[in-house]
Short mmCIF file of all heavy atoms in Angstrom, two decimals:
data_model
loop_
_atom_site.label_atom_id
_atom_site.label_comp_id
_atom_site.label_asym_id
_atom_site.label_seq_id
_atom_site.Cartn_x
_atom_site.Cartn_y
_atom_site.Cartn_z
N GLY W 254 1.11 14.57 2.12
CA GLY W 254 0.73 15.86 1.65
C GLY W 254 -0.70 16.09 1.78
O GLY W 254 -1.58 15.15 2.13
N SER W 255 -1.19 17.32 1.54
CA SER W 255 -2.70 17.57 1.53
C SER W 255 -3.33 17.51 0.22
O SER W 255 -2.67 18.07 -0.85
CB SER W 255 -2.76 19.01 2.19
OG SER W 255 -4.07 19.40 2.07
N PRO W 256 -4.54 17.17 0.11
CA PRO W 256 -5.24 17.12 -1.17
C PRO W 256 -5.37 18.58 -1.82
O PRO W 256 -5.69 18.72 -2.92
CB PRO W 256 -6.67 16.48 -0.86
CG PRO W 256 -6.35 15.63 0.30
CD PRO W 256 -5.32 16.40 1.09
N LYS W 257 -5.27 19.57 -0.94
CA LYS W 257 -5.30 20.92 -1.44
C LYS W 257 -3.91 21.40 -2.00
O LYS W 257 -3.78 22.57 -2.49
CB LYS W 257 -5.67 21.88 -0.28
CG LYS W 257 -7.07 21.58 0.19
CD LYS W 257 -7.46 22.58 1.37
CE LYS W 257 -8.88 22.36 1.77
NZ LYS W 257 -9.26 23.22 2.84
N THR W 258 -2.93 20.52 -2.15
CA THR W 258 -1.67 20.81 -2.67
C THR W 258 -1.57 19.96 -4.08
O THR W 258 -2.49 19.31 -4.41
CB THR W 258 -0.54 20.50 -1.78
OG1 THR W 258 -0.44 19.11 -1.50
CG2 THR W 258 -0.72 21.28 -0.46
N ARG W 259 -0.39 19.92 -4.56
CA ARG W 259 -0.11 19.06 -5.74
C ARG W 259 -0.21 17.57 -5.47
O ARG W 259 -0.22 16.79 -6.40
CB ARG W 259 1.22 19.52 -6.39
CG ARG W 259 1.17 20.77 -7.05
CD ARG W 259 2.49 21.10 -7.75
NE ARG W 259 2.38 22.43 -8.21
CZ ARG W 259 3.42 23.19 -8.61
NH1 ARG W 259 4.64 22.68 -8.39
NH2 ARG W 259 3.20 24.34 -9.00
N ALA W 260 -0.43 17.24 -4.24
CA ALA W 260 -0.65 15.79 -3.80
C ALA W 260 -1.85 15.28 -4.53
O ALA W 260 -2.05 14.13 -4.68
CB ALA W 260 -0.72 15.71 -2.30
N LEU W 261 -2.79 16.25 -4.86
CA LEU W 261 -3.99 15.83 -5.60
C LEU W 261 -3.68 15.02 -6.83
O LEU W 261 -4.38 14.14 -7.21
CB LEU W 261 -4.90 17.04 -5.85
CG LEU W 261 -6.16 16.76 -6.50
CD1 LEU W 261 -7.06 15.83 -5.57
CD2 LEU W 261 -6.92 18.10 -6.89
N ARG W 262 -2.64 15.52 -7.47
CA ARG W 262 -2.26 14.86 -8.83
C ARG W 262 -1.95 13.27 -8.56
O ARG W 262 -2.32 12.43 -9.32
CB ARG W 262 -0.99 15.53 -9.41
CG ARG W 262 -1.20 16.87 -9.90
CD ARG W 262 0.22 17.35 -10.23
NE ARG W 262 0.05 18.86 -10.79
CZ ARG W 262 1.10 19.57 -11.03
NH1 ARG W 262 2.28 19.08 -11.12
NH2 ARG W 262 0.89 20.80 -11.44
N VAL W 263 -1.16 13.05 -7.40
CA VAL W 263 -0.77 11.79 -7.05
C VAL W 263 -1.99 10.96 -6.61
O VAL W 263 -2.14 9.77 -7.05
CB VAL W 263 0.30 11.78 -5.93
CG1 VAL W 263 0.65 10.37 -5.58
CG2 VAL W 263 1.50 12.52 -6.43
N ILE W 264 -2.91 11.56 -5.91
CA ILE W 264 -4.10 10.88 -5.46
C ILE W 264 -4.94 10.46 -6.59
O ILE W 264 -5.49 9.41 -6.73
CB ILE W 264 -4.92 11.68 -4.47
CG1 ILE W 264 -4.11 11.97 -3.17
CG2 ILE W 264 -6.23 11.21 -4.14
CD1 ILE W 264 -4.67 13.07 -2.23
N TRP W 265 -5.01 11.40 -7.54
CA TRP W 265 -5.81 11.16 -8.80
C TRP W 265 -5.22 10.01 -9.58
O TRP W 265 -5.87 9.08 -10.01
CB TRP W 265 -5.90 12.49 -9.62
CG TRP W 265 -6.70 12.41 -10.91
CD1 TRP W 265 -7.46 11.42 -11.32
CD2 TRP W 265 -6.81 13.45 -11.81
NE1 TRP W 265 -8.12 11.81 -12.53
CE2 TRP W 265 -7.67 13.03 -12.81
CE3 TRP W 265 -6.22 14.73 -11.91
CZ2 TRP W 265 -7.99 13.79 -13.88
CZ3 TRP W 265 -6.50 15.59 -13.03
CH2 TRP W 265 -7.46 15.13 -14.09
N MET W 266 -4.01 9.95 -9.71
CA MET W 266 -3.23 8.92 -10.40
C MET W 266 -3.49 7.57 -9.69
O MET W 266 -3.84 6.53 -10.40
CB MET W 266 -1.74 9.25 -10.44
CG MET W 266 -0.92 8.21 -11.20
SD MET W 266 -1.06 8.35 -12.96
CE MET W 266 0.17 7.35 -13.52
N LEU W 267 -3.40 7.50 -8.43
CA LEU W 267 -3.62 6.32 -7.73
C LEU W 267 -5.02 5.80 -7.81
O LEU W 267 -5.37 4.69 -8.01
CB LEU W 267 -3.32 6.48 -6.16
CG LEU W 267 -1.88 6.52 -5.91
CD1 LEU W 267 -1.54 7.11 -4.51
CD2 LEU W 267 -1.12 5.20 -6.15
N GLU W 268 -6.03 6.74 -7.77
CA GLU W 268 -7.36 6.43 -8.10
C GLU W 268 -7.61 5.87 -9.44
O GLU W 268 -8.26 4.93 -9.59
CB GLU W 268 -8.30 7.68 -7.96
CG GLU W 268 -8.47 8.11 -6.42
CD GLU W 268 -9.37 7.13 -5.69
OE1 GLU W 268 -10.26 6.42 -6.26
OE2 GLU W 268 -9.21 7.15 -4.46
N GLU W 269 -7.06 6.43 -10.45
CA GLU W 269 -7.11 5.96 -11.82
C GLU W 269 -6.52 4.52 -12.02
O GLU W 269 -7.02 3.81 -12.77
CB GLU W 269 -6.54 6.93 -12.82
CG GLU W 269 -7.15 8.28 -12.99
CD GLU W 269 -8.52 8.05 -13.68
OE1 GLU W 269 -8.66 7.21 -14.65
OE2 GLU W 269 -9.44 8.92 -13.41
N LEU W 270 -5.43 4.32 -11.31
CA LEU W 270 -4.79 2.97 -11.39
C LEU W 270 -5.45 1.97 -10.50
O LEU W 270 -5.26 0.80 -10.55
CB LEU W 270 -3.44 3.04 -10.92
CG LEU W 270 -2.47 3.88 -11.94
CD1 LEU W 270 -1.09 4.18 -11.30
CD2 LEU W 270 -2.32 3.22 -13.31
N GLY W 271 -6.37 2.46 -9.62
CA GLY W 271 -7.14 1.49 -8.73
C GLY W 271 -6.22 0.90 -7.53
O GLY W 271 -6.43 -0.11 -7.19
N GLN W 272 -5.22 1.68 -7.22
CA GLN W 272 -4.25 1.21 -6.23
C GLN W 272 -4.57 1.75 -4.78
O GLN W 272 -5.15 2.84 -4.71
CB GLN W 272 -2.85 1.75 -6.54
CG GLN W 272 -2.22 1.32 -7.80
CD GLN W 272 -1.99 -0.27 -7.73
OE1 GLN W 272 -1.41 -0.76 -6.79
NE2 GLN W 272 -2.42 -0.98 -8.78
N PRO W 273 -4.40 0.94 -3.83
CA PRO W 273 -4.77 1.28 -2.48
C PRO W 273 -3.73 2.21 -1.85
O PRO W 273 -2.57 2.20 -2.18
CB PRO W 273 -4.75 -0.01 -1.64
CG PRO W 273 -3.77 -0.92 -2.40
CD PRO W 273 -3.91 -0.52 -3.83
N TYR W 274 -4.16 3.23 -1.13
CA TYR W 274 -3.28 4.24 -0.61
C TYR W 274 -3.89 4.87 0.75
O TYR W 274 -5.13 4.70 0.89
CB TYR W 274 -3.01 5.28 -1.51
CG TYR W 274 -4.19 6.19 -2.01
CD1 TYR W 274 -4.53 7.31 -1.36
CD2 TYR W 274 -5.07 5.70 -3.05
CE1 TYR W 274 -5.61 8.10 -1.64
CE2 TYR W 274 -6.13 6.53 -3.36
CZ TYR W 274 -6.48 7.65 -2.63
OH TYR W 274 -7.58 8.33 -3.04
N VAL W 275 -3.08 5.44 1.47
CA VAL W 275 -3.56 6.21 2.47
C VAL W 275 -2.94 7.61 2.45
O VAL W 275 -1.83 7.81 1.81
CB VAL W 275 -3.16 5.59 3.91
CG1 VAL W 275 -3.86 4.34 4.23
CG2 VAL W 275 -1.69 5.47 4.03
N ILE W 276 -3.72 8.57 2.86
CA ILE W 276 -3.12 9.97 2.95
C ILE W 276 -2.55 10.39 4.34
O ILE W 276 -3.29 10.24 5.33
CB ILE W 276 -4.26 10.95 2.43
CG1 ILE W 276 -4.68 10.52 1.08
CG2 ILE W 276 -3.76 12.46 2.50
CD1 ILE W 276 -5.90 11.38 0.65
N GLU W 277 -1.41 10.86 4.37
CA GLU W 277 -0.88 11.40 5.58
C GLU W 277 -0.85 12.94 5.29
O GLU W 277 0.09 13.49 4.83
CB GLU W 277 0.51 10.89 5.86
CG GLU W 277 1.15 11.31 7.19
CD GLU W 277 2.56 10.73 7.30
OE1 GLU W 277 2.69 9.39 7.27
OE2 GLU W 277 3.53 11.45 7.54
N PRO W 278 -1.99 13.64 5.90
CA PRO W 278 -1.99 15.08 5.63
C PRO W 278 -0.83 15.83 6.27
O PRO W 278 -0.64 15.80 7.44
CB PRO W 278 -3.36 15.42 6.32
CG PRO W 278 -3.90 14.18 6.83
CD PRO W 278 -2.98 13.13 6.71
N THR W 279 -0.16 16.44 5.39
CA THR W 279 1.11 17.42 5.80
C THR W 279 1.09 18.47 4.96
O THR W 279 0.99 18.41 3.80
CB THR W 279 2.38 16.48 5.58
OG1 THR W 279 2.31 15.24 6.29
CG2 THR W 279 3.48 17.21 6.20
N LEU W 280 1.26 19.67 5.50
CA LEU W 280 1.44 20.88 4.71
C LEU W 280 2.90 21.06 4.35
O LEU W 280 3.83 20.58 5.07
CB LEU W 280 0.98 22.11 5.45
CG LEU W 280 -0.47 22.11 5.77
CD1 LEU W 280 -0.94 23.10 6.71
CD2 LEU W 280 -1.32 22.12 4.45
N PRO W 281 3.18 21.85 3.26
CA PRO W 281 4.53 22.11 2.90
C PRO W 281 5.30 22.88 3.94
O PRO W 281 4.67 23.60 4.77
CB PRO W 281 4.41 22.99 1.56
CG PRO W 281 3.08 22.82 1.20
CD PRO W 281 2.19 22.45 2.31
N ARG W 282 6.63 22.77 4.06
CA ARG W 282 7.43 23.54 4.93
C ARG W 282 7.13 23.34 6.43
O ARG W 282 7.24 24.27 7.20
CB ARG W 282 7.43 25.05 4.61
CG ARG W 282 7.97 25.35 3.25
CD ARG W 282 7.87 26.85 2.92
NE ARG W 282 6.53 27.25 2.44
CZ ARG W 282 5.99 27.02 1.25
NH1 ARG W 282 6.62 26.30 0.49
NH2 ARG W 282 4.88 27.50 0.94
N THR W 283 6.87 22.03 6.80
CA THR W 283 6.69 21.77 8.16
C THR W 283 7.90 20.91 8.66
O THR W 283 8.58 20.22 7.79
CB THR W 283 5.41 20.86 8.34
OG1 THR W 283 5.49 19.64 7.57
CG2 THR W 283 4.21 21.62 8.02
N ALA W 284 8.12 20.94 10.00
CA ALA W 284 9.27 20.34 10.46
C ALA W 284 9.21 18.82 10.34
O ALA W 284 10.29 18.21 10.09
CB ALA W 284 9.37 20.57 12.05
#
Side-chain angles (χ1 to χ4, degrees):
S255 168
K257 293 182 180 182
T258 65
R259 290 184 181 160
L261 182 61
R262 296 175 181 176
V263 176
I264 294 166
W265 184 4
M266 181 77 168
L267 288 165
E268 287 289 333
E269 290 292 326
L270 294 172
Q272 295 296 311
Y274 65 93
V275 294
I276 300 172
E277 187 178 305
T279 305
L280 293 174
R282 295 178 281 288
T283 58

